Amino acid sequence: MPAQVYLYDPATGDRLTALDPGVARPLRWAAWAPATAGRPAAYALIVGNGGTVVRFQEGRFDAIETGTRHNLRGAAFSPDGAQALFVGNRGAVLLYDAAAGAVDGSVRALRSPTSENLRRAAWHPNGEFALIIGNGGTVLRYGSGELTPVPGDRAHTLRAIAWRPDGAYALVGAYASRWAGYPRPHPLYKCDGMYLQALLTSDEEDDFVAVDWHPSGDRALIAGYAYDTPAAGQTSNKVLTYDGSGFGYRAVEASGALLGASWHPSGDYALLCGEGGALLRMTGDRVEQLDSGTKDNLVGPFWRPATAGGADGGVALLLQGPGERVYTV
């Protein structure tokens, strides 16, 4: 089945607009280049299975050769937009040279110290280094052209990561699996770039697949689900907020498990998405169910950044996730 990308534009209604990226393999993650005065038009890079990378700009998709056939799960631009990291299975870490664009030689593989599947990457706000997370509690630090392991508390599958805007630390969401032999699992960690520290323990099979800091930096949004009956695959959704000292919690009703959540660039609201075309808008304490117009599993949303001139970055991309939840994210 061909991959599908959806565009969310609240100016034209809440229903998603389907876009054809022209690729057959599933797509897993997207990252927008940061807005700068020297970049007249925004573009995003979307990564997926079989080493797939496509560039999306002004409604057009163009393939980028990566030189790998490993499944790519995550992507992140440096704050200045000069480079991006792609990460994926079997320890794959690729560096994209944005100055070279989509020409040959714009992507090169980095020597990785792990063979674990890697899922996400996030650059420190000052651009000095990036953190990469993945299976087996893997945390890598990328800086000065090298990848080095970051030690820390015992962890399982690390799912999501986002830096606090001031760069004090990154929050890391995880799958707190008792089935993996963890007597008191941790679904949330913090990492300052030097050490991974457990932050929240759980008595449930929590799987936090999305972490995003409010633009003000005063709170983070953490979303995912808990396995009520892991063997049967029954779940209940969870949304947490974290202000640096304590947590707020609420249950969220949706058509399926939550697979993504992120703040609008203005911080006025957050958009959540998940299985079965679930699309929700959270404004303060209010959660509103939206009609996405699709039954596909949805991953994202990936918001276009505000322009250098301050224009609203209110358009987002969402990706069609494969049918199996764990495989999706």
Side-chain angles (χ1 to χ4, degrees):
M1 181 174 66
Q4 190 75 69
V5 175
Y6 290 98
L7 182 70
Y8 174 75
D9 185 352
T12 59
D14 293 321
R15 279 202 162 212
L16 305 178
T17 301
L19 306 174
D20 180 8
V23 298
R25 296 179 181 272
L27 297 175
R28 310 291 283 272
W29 204 250
W32 286 90
T36 65
R39 186 176 297 115
Y43 74 95
L45 297 176
I46 308 172
V47 303
N49 287 4
T52 300
V53 176
V54 292
R55 175 181 172 126
F56 173 73
Q57 185 172 18
E58 297 182 328
R60 175 178 172 175
F61 293 90
D62 294 296
I64 296 176
E65 177 57 46
T66 61
T68 184
R69 293 297 173 260
H70 292 317
N71 293 346
L72 299 177
R73 295 171 175 263
F77 269 98
S78 59
D80 63 3
Q83 54 191 334
L85 289 172
F86 308 143
V87 302
N89 287 4
R90 300 184 66 182
V93 181
L94 308 178
L95 185 67
Y96 172 79
D97 180 357
V103 301
D104 292 341
S106 62
V107 178
R108 64 181 177 89
L110 300 177
R111 184 173 182 179
S112 178
T114 183
S115 60
E116 291 281 1
N117 291 349
L118 302 175
R119 292 177 176 267
R120 303 287 180 262
W123 290 82
H124 190 279
N126 69 11
E128 180 182 347
F129 65 93
L131 291 178
I132 299 166
I133 59 170
N135 292 4
T138 302
V139 182
L140 303 178
R141 176 178 172 133
Y142 172 73
S144 302
E146 296 185 351
L147 292 163
T148 55
V150 174
D153 292 335
R154 189 179 183 205
H156 184 40
T157 300
L158 301 180
R159 292 280 212 184
I161 182 170
W163 281 96
R164 201 169 84 170
D166 66 0
Y169 57 87
L171 281 182
V172 180
Y175 173 35
S177 172
R178 292 181 181 279
W179 292 69
Y182 295 80
R184 190 75 189 273
H186 307 292
L188 195 67
Y189 296 78
K190 62 192 302 186
C191 185
D192 61 0
M194 302 299 293
Y195 190 87
L196 181 73
Q197 176 186 356
L199 184 61
L200 178 68
T201 57
S202 175
D203 291 319
E204 299 183 282
E205 295 273 296
D206 287 330
D207 196 353
F208 289 143
V209 298
V211 177
D212 192 34
W213 281 93
H214 190 272
S216 68
D218 66 357
R219 63 193 184 280
L221 179 67
I222 303 144
Y225 50 85
Y227 280 107
D228 297 327
T229 310
Q234 297 175 356
T235 63
S236 58
N237 290 315
K238 291 187 173 183
V239 173
L240 278 67
T241 55
Y242 176 65
D243 64 4
S245 60
F247 293 91
Y249 163 79
R250 68 174 300 158
V252 173
E253 294 294 329
S255 59
L258 292 177
L259 301 177
S262 63
W263 295 100
H264 184 279
S266 68
D268 292 342
Y269 64 91
L271 205 63
L272 292 71
C273 63
E275 290 183 313
L279 189 64
L280 305 94
R281 181 165 48 223
M282 187 174 76
T283 308
D285 293 330
R286 180 189 177 198
V287 176
E288 176 186 5
Q289 302 269 353
L290 306 179
D291 181 8
S292 68
T294 180
K295 295 299 182 183
D296 286 339
N297 291 351
L298 297 174
V299 177
F302 307 98
W303 292 101
R304 184 181 65 193
T307 65
D312 191 330
V315 171
L317 295 177
L318 293 96
L319 306 181
Q320 173 196 50
E324 188 177 344
R325 181 186 308 132
V326 172
Y327 178 72
T328 300
V329 294

